[in-house]
Amino acid sequence: MEFQFDGTTATYSSGQMGQMDLEELVPVSEEDWELFVTTVTRLGVWDWKSVYTPSEMILDGTSWALRLKAGKRRVVAEGTNDFPPDWETFCAAVSHLAGDRPVF
């Protein structure tokens, strides 16, 4: 899943990494964007570590990456088989911003 937002419209793409099967334009209201930024701030997303990996090696699983900027705040984080605190709540906020489309 890839989600890009330009201030008024989001581009939502889904499929396997490097091969997106579906791309949709999703209108995003200023109110929804501000709610998302408030949620991200409350969850502490701006303070997430840059890399999340489990202490034990797992040969398959889930990889993810995040690049998020809002005003002067920015976070770049990624992980494989490990997630930051409140990951599910963050994904629900992204899903809502994407018009309730699935994130994972």
Side-chain angles (χ1 to χ4, degrees):
M1 192 281 294
E2 185 174 298
F3 184 76
Q4 297 180 14
F5 178 65
D6 70 6
T8 58
T9 304
T11 303
Y12 171 85
S13 305
S14 63
Q16 299 295 325
M17 291 302 263
Q19 238 184 352
M20 297 299 175
D21 300 326
L22 171 71
E23 184 172 292
E24 297 178 66
L25 296 179
V26 180
V28 175
S29 70
E30 185 175 326
E31 179 182 326
D32 282 345
W33 174 249
E34 289 186 18
L35 176 62
F36 176 75
V37 172
T38 298
T39 301
V40 163
T41 301
R42 180 178 51 79
L43 295 175
V45 173
W46 306 116
D47 299 319
W48 281 358
K49 297 185 304 186
S50 59
V51 178
Y52 288 84
T53 56
S55 56
E56 297 180 20
M57 186 168 63
I58 301 172
L59 297 178
D60 67 355
T62 302
S63 296
W64 59 273
L66 170 68
R67 290 185 314 256
L68 179 62
K69 181 180 176 187
K72 294 181 180 182
R73 303 195 90 169
R74 180 181 175 164
V75 63
V76 177
E78 63 182 63
T80 302
N81 301 321
D82 194 22
F83 303 90
D86 296 313
W87 176 253
E88 292 86 11
T89 305
F90 171 74
C91 289
V94 173
S95 175
H96 178 73
L97 195 64
D100 295 320
R101 287 159 178 81
V103 173
F104 265 101

